[in-house]
Amino acid sequence: MQMVILILVQRHSILKTMDNNIQNEIEAAVFRRLIQHFSERTDVQNIDLMNLSGFCRNCLSKWYSAAAQERGLDIDYEEAREIVYGMPYAEWKSMYQLEATKEQLATFNNDKSNDN
């Protein structure tokens, strides 16, 4: 617990001294790297991402679309998916998405029931 508090205090100190533009540039660079990483790791299935981290490429697409709309830009979910996936979703799905196993689905459904 003390380590978590120390990390949060250190993060707060760093962010307080950082210019907002620089912080935005760093966060944007991190996001672009995450998208690049996902495009290089097409073997990583969305259901595995959901089961391990609680978010996936589709979640990123929804968040992207919502952030754009909050700023007055009309980027819908499908357009955001194309940005995140690097191609139309249907194309990505046909090339890379595998059928979810019973175990993956069970984990996913169990995690969803625990969210309530």
Side-chain angles (χ1 to χ4, degrees):
M1 181 66 164
Q2 290 176 335
M3 179 63 95
V4 171
I5 292 170
L6 177 61
I7 291 169
L8 291 174
V9 168
Q10 289 174 338
R11 181 177 182 271
H12 179 70
S13 318
I14 292 168
L15 291 178
K16 274 180 62 176
T17 61
M18 189 182 303
D19 175 89
N20 280 344
N21 290 332
I22 296 297
Q23 182 180 346
N24 286 339
E25 288 177 21
I26 291 169
E27 291 169 355
V30 170
F31 176 77
R32 286 189 297 271
R33 182 60 187 102
L34 177 63
I35 298 302
Q36 178 186 348
H37 182 74
F38 281 150
S39 73
E40 293 167 357
R41 292 298 311 270
T42 54
D43 60 310
V44 178
Q45 298 296 297
N46 282 330
I47 195 161
D48 292 324
L49 291 168
M50 288 297 295
N51 288 343
L52 292 171
S53 65
F55 80 98
C56 68
R57 294 170 182 93
N58 291 324
C59 297
L60 287 172
S61 301
K62 290 175 187 174
W63 300 337
Y64 192 103
S65 176
Q69 290 175 10
E70 288 169 6
R71 287 154 182 81
L73 299 173
D74 188 25
I75 297 177
D76 68 22
Y77 178 53
E78 288 306 317
E79 291 169 320
R81 271 179 147 180
E82 192 163 337
I83 291 166
V84 169
Y85 284 90
M87 63 183 71
Y89 174 68
E91 184 179 331
W92 190 93
K93 185 176 175 180
S94 70
M95 292 172 62
Y96 303 113
Q97 187 166 312
L98 304 175
E99 186 76 27
T101 66
K102 290 179 183 177
E103 293 81 12
Q104 288 170 317
L105 290 171
T107 300
F108 179 76
N109 290 325
N110 185 43
D111 287 348
K112 280 180 67 173
S113 66
N114 290 333
D115 287 342
N116 297 332

